[in-house]
Amino acid sequence: MFEAGYDALLVALHPERLLWLSVGAAVGLCVGVLPGLGGTVGMAILLPFVFGMDPFSGVAMLMGMAAVVHTGDTFPSVLLGVPGSSGSQATIMDGYPLARQGEAARALGAAFFCSMVGGIIGAVMLFAIIGVARPIVLALGSPELFMFAVLGLSMVGVLAKGAPAAGLAAGFLGLWIGIIGLAPQVGQYRFTFDMLYLNDGIPIAVMALGLFALPEMVDLVSSNRSISKTQQLGGSRLSGVRDAVRHKWLVLRSSVIGTAMGIVPGIGGSVVDWFIYGLTRQTSRENSQFGHGDIRGVIGPESANNAKEGGALVPTLLFGIPGSGTTAMLLGGLILLGTADPGPGMVDGAGLPVTLSIIWSLALANILGTAASLSLSGQVAKLSLIPAKKLTPFLLVIMTVAAYQATQNWGDILAFLVIGVVGWIMKQVGWPRAPMLIGYVLAQPAERYLHLSMSRYDYEWMTRPIVIIVAALTLFVIFGSQIFRQRKVKQQVEEAEATDT
């Protein structure tokens, strides 16, 4: 295995393969920087070009794009408060507040370095477990996937910021919006109000842009200032890298968990991102600054964001079950190249060199993407100093186009505006918006897996071992956050009493 890995490294380092890897990485950066596009769009751009290519060159180009798009999407998340893709949603919670404090370069430096480390750890774990992961993936059925969705929903309470009622209400509102449209289980349309546009539901790009982007743009224009409240950038890219090194155990833990969750088909980047953010916040001793510009709120999600791509390749290669939209398109590219035969053949026999080439390309692309992003971040961070009256019109055009491209229907723009108004009202009254997005993202998978579990196993699925373990973990997340919060309040009261005496 190690000898084959060394041979695959020599193949990956061939100048021609490095050139195509760079092309894919460049496309990934461009796609990632534009809000609302994501890896699926990037793959769609490259797929027509891989037909007839040398398999290893084609793999290098596709993996370059797939790995780097989740690095480039950090730019809009930090600088604009706009999720660059579904896997960078949690980064805005602390990345954007840091940019408003003039610390954009620091946040970007930490994010890019953690993305590189997470991507490399994901590739290493993929190499280590791909040969033995088959029984793990086979043990996960619809009951386990439903419980993972419930585990993601448990983050609603953690992210409520001391307002559990508002957080739950926002989460349920997101769940309701998430089930608008056709219910595949019963073949009926729900909550469409006889509007043809709503038959397919509201796209996630429209939801994320409206909920987070438009309210920020409105506030910038109303206050007539730049994104940064200061007129001078503080911190630097190197200070962000030092922050990541100082929190090295957080980087390692988030990367390992992100890879493990990426193995589970159907979980998606949104769940991983929010779960890691909630876990980071809950397990941090001093967490009062989370949501207001805590660098750990950037380090945790960004470490897991790229690491999960390594895990998502396990079911893709072993079973042909894509772990995300990006890996689904990657599988199509492998088929075009004539190299894909999902199953044991990908880790034993003729498919092994291709698999190892994918792993090396994943690691090399993360290094290349990080180097390019770090070199650009110093200049790009200056966008946070541009006055709103000059920056906002340009951003609104980009966001409107990004919303429209979701389904290329004029209803996308109307939905973008309506959700933007709702998001702005929530921001003004102090309601957390993150729980609403979590509820929206998890509504359909939770409903689908629950229906499958009940139809296949009735209520017996509740006794499955993994279901019980995930349920216990969910209860720990829900009640543990309350316990930690009560302890913190008690500690603050005791400190205040000690100060008075």
Side-chain angles (χ1 to χ4, degrees):
M1 187 73 169
F2 287 100
E3 183 179 352
Y6 177 73
D7 293 338
L9 174 62
L10 296 180
V11 172
L13 291 176
H14 189 278
E16 181 182 353
R17 278 76 193 234
L18 288 177
L19 174 62
W20 288 115
L21 181 75
S22 302
V23 171
V27 173
L29 278 177
C30 294
V31 171
V33 167
L34 297 175
L37 297 185
T40 305
V41 174
M43 282 291 185
I45 293 173
L46 293 181
L47 279 182
F49 298 97
V50 302
F51 185 77
M53 288 182 64
D54 166 57
F56 293 102
S57 298
V59 164
M61 184 170 67
L62 293 177
M63 288 308 303
M65 200 293 307
V68 174
V69 71
H70 296 293
T71 302
D73 62 13
T74 304
F75 279 115
S77 298
V78 171
L79 295 176
L80 309 177
V82 181
S85 68
S86 61
S88 63
Q89 295 169 2
T91 304
I92 69 176
M93 298 296 292
D94 286 285
Y96 185 64
L98 283 168
R100 297 185 65 186
Q101 297 166 19
E103 299 280 344
R106 176 191 175 200
L108 290 173
F112 294 139
F113 182 78
C114 292
S115 294
M116 180 189 70
V117 175
I120 293 175
I121 291 177
V124 171
M125 290 187 64
L126 173 63
F127 177 80
I129 67 178
I130 196 169
V132 297
R134 187 179 179 88
I136 299 175
V137 177
L138 288 175
L140 300 175
S142 56
E144 289 77 16
L145 295 177
F146 169 71
M147 289 308 303
F148 277 117
V150 174
L151 178 62
L153 285 170
S154 68
M155 291 297 107
V156 167
V158 177
L159 298 174
K161 297 182 181 179
L168 287 173
F172 279 115
L173 180 58
L175 283 171
W176 175 71
I177 297 175
I179 62 173
I180 290 175
L182 178 66
Q185 295 78 14
V186 295
Q188 295 180 350
Y189 291 99
R190 301 169 298 187
F191 309 113
T192 59
F193 308 105
D194 295 326
M195 297 176 63
L196 185 62
Y197 169 74
L198 294 178
N199 285 352
D200 293 326
I202 297 176
I204 185 171
V206 175
M207 183 72 176
L209 287 169
L211 196 58
F212 288 97
L214 195 55
E216 300 301 334
M217 296 301 102
V218 171
D219 284 352
L220 283 179
V221 172
S222 62
S223 59
N224 193 27
R225 60 172 177 80
S226 60
I227 294 173
S228 174
K229 294 181 179 179
T230 65
Q231 292 304 309
Q232 187 174 4
L233 291 176
S236 65
R237 291 166 288 180
L238 291 179
S239 64
V241 173
R242 286 194 290 267
D243 286 325
V245 173
R246 188 169 69 252
H247 297 289
K248 54 184 177 294
W249 297 116
L250 173 60
V251 175
L252 178 62
R253 183 187 69 186
S254 301
S255 300
V256 171
I257 296 176
T259 305
M261 294 186 70
I263 295 175
V264 182
I267 289 297
S270 301
V271 180
V272 176
D273 213 35
W274 287 117
F275 177 79
I276 293 298
Y277 180 81
L279 182 66
T280 302
R281 177 177 177 175
Q282 186 171 330
T283 55
S284 298
R285 182 169 299 179
E286 174 53 50
N287 59 10
S288 61
Q289 291 303 308
F290 275 85
H292 302 286
D294 193 312
I295 195 65
R296 293 171 294 179
V298 175
I299 291 173
E302 286 298 319
S303 299
N305 196 11
N306 280 30
K308 76 176 186 301
E309 293 303 309
L313 287 172
V314 173
T316 303
L317 297 176
L318 289 183
F319 305 104
I321 303 174
S324 64
T326 304
T327 52
M329 300 293 284
L330 173 64
L331 186 62
L334 295 176
I335 294 174
L336 283 176
L337 291 168
T339 60
D341 184 17
M346 294 300 292
V347 292
D348 184 21
L352 181 60
V354 176
T355 301
L356 295 175
S357 175
I358 289 173
I359 294 173
W360 280 117
S361 297
L362 179 64
L364 293 173
N366 273 284
I367 296 173
L368 181 62
T370 298
S373 298
L374 281 174
S375 64
L376 295 171
S377 60
Q379 297 301 316
V380 176
K382 294 180 180 178
L383 287 173
S384 62
L385 300 178
I386 299 177
K389 61 182 180 181
K390 296 182 179 179
L391 182 64
T392 302
F394 172 71
L395 294 177
L396 284 176
V397 171
I398 292 180
M399 292 171 191
T400 304
V401 172
Y404 177 74
Q405 66 83 35
T407 64
Q408 297 185 6
N409 188 305
W410 289 106
D412 290 330
I413 299 178
L414 179 60
F416 168 60
L417 295 174
V418 172
I419 295 172
V421 172
V422 173
W424 182 81
I425 294 174
M426 292 177 66
K427 183 179 180 182
Q428 300 309 307
V429 300
W431 277 35
R433 289 170 288 170
M436 183 174 172
L437 190 59
I438 293 175
Y440 166 83
V441 169
L442 295 178
Q444 290 190 11
E447 180 188 22
R448 179 171 62 252
Y449 294 133
L450 177 60
H451 177 80
L452 290 173
S453 300
M454 294 300 298
S455 61
R456 291 177 179 176
Y457 310 104
D458 199 17
Y459 289 98
E460 294 182 2
W461 63 269
M462 296 182 180
T463 61
R464 292 163 68 110
I466 298 180
V467 169
I468 295 174
I469 293 173
V470 178
L473 180 59
T474 302
L475 292 174
F476 172 77
V477 170
I478 295 173
F479 294 105
S481 62
Q482 300 299 323
I483 293 173
F484 286 140
R485 187 177 293 115
Q486 291 175 0
R487 287 182 178 179
K488 182 180 178 181
V489 171
K490 182 179 178 181
Q491 182 180 0
Q492 290 176 344
V493 171
E494 290 177 351
E495 290 177 352
E497 292 176 350
T499 303
D500 293 337
T501 56

